[in-house]
């Protein structure tokens, strides 16, 4: 899936790359600093934050499709609690529920529903929940891209660059 096209896209891609690099180095706080909105607007009210999340979830969706052999092999999404036990999506923390629902909407080609999930989350989430959702999107991007690379499946160039710098 191609990222959302706009004049802002190159800047968002650079921000996402810097955040992925920080995450790869285990620097969650630095990753969040890299994806903070450019304007004085708080992240949970930022269109930029929403666009960034949709960019990441869109790329995750493309990688899930690649890993599932173009949709012919199922990919299981598991949700774990803080102790590492698997839980249903409805028992997960709100940011995780939003992340799973957004990813599933993207995987099923419903970009509009994915955008609605992110919009609702940003409108209702506390700042730390927005941070958690951003970190989830970054973690999944890293995990899925690593798996794709290990299986010699294609990933978007800008993600590959962030992981190999």
């Amino acid at each position: 899936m191609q990222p959302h096209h706009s004049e802002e896209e190159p800047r968002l891609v650079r921000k996402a790359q810097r955040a992925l690099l920080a995450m790869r180095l285990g620097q969650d706080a630095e990753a969040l600093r890299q994806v903070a909105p450019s304007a004085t607007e708080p992240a949970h009210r930022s269109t930029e934050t929403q666009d960034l999340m949709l960019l990441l979830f869109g790329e995750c969706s493309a990688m899930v499709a690649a890993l599932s052999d173009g949709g012919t092999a199922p990919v299981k999404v598991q949700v774990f609690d803080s102790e590492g036990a698997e839980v249903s999506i409805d028992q997960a923390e709100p940011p995780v529920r939003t992340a799973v629902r957004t990813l599933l909407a993207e995987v099923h080609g419903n970009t509009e529903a994915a955008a609605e999930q992110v919009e609702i989350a940003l409108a209702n989430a506390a700042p730390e929940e927005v941070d958690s959702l951003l970190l989830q999107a970054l973690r999944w991007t890293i995990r899925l891209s690593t798996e794709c690379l290990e299986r010699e499946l294609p990933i978007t160039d800008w993600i590959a660059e962030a992981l190999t710098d």
Side-chain angles (χ1 to χ4, degrees):
M1 176 178 188
Q2 289 297 315
H4 303 280
H5 294 285
S6 74
E7 294 171 7
E8 293 292 308
E9 185 179 317
R11 191 174 55 75
L12 286 176
V13 165
R14 286 190 303 276
K15 287 180 87 156
Q17 283 180 308
R18 290 189 304 268
L20 288 169
L21 178 59
M23 289 290 294
R24 196 181 95 215
L25 299 173
Q27 301 171 353
D28 291 8
E30 177 61 19
L32 287 172
R33 195 179 73 68
Q34 292 297 331
V35 294
S38 301
T40 57
E41 193 176 29
H44 66 284
R45 300 277 185 245
S46 170
T47 302
E48 183 179 310
T49 300
Q50 182 174 347
D51 291 346
L52 183 69
M53 283 191 207
L54 292 173
L55 173 71
L56 291 169
F57 282 117
E59 293 298 338
C60 286
S61 171
M63 290 183 283
V64 167
L67 289 165
S68 68
D69 196 24
T72 60
V75 172
K76 182 178 181 181
V77 176
Q78 295 173 289
V79 179
F80 299 93
D81 65 15
S82 58
E83 284 83 45
E86 188 173 358
V87 296
S88 76
I89 186 173
D90 295 324
Q91 294 174 313
E93 295 294 319
V96 175
R97 281 197 310 262
T98 299
V100 171
R101 289 181 177 135
T102 302
L103 180 59
L104 290 174
E106 284 282 1
V107 166
H108 292 287
N110 195 342
T111 303
E112 186 176 311
E116 287 173 13
Q117 285 292 322
V118 172
E119 186 177 324
I120 290 167
L122 293 179
N124 298 308
E128 62 274 2
E129 291 176 322
V130 173
D131 289 351
S132 180
L133 184 57
L134 281 163
L135 289 172
Q136 189 68 54
L138 290 165
R139 282 186 189 107
W140 283 353
T141 302
I142 289 173
R143 288 181 184 153
L144 289 166
S145 59
T146 299
E147 189 67 26
C148 284
L149 289 170
E150 286 176 4
R151 296 184 190 190
E152 298 181 2
L153 296 170
I155 64 171
T156 301
D157 290 343
W158 67 264
I159 294 174
E161 289 168 15
L163 297 178
T164 57
D165 281 351

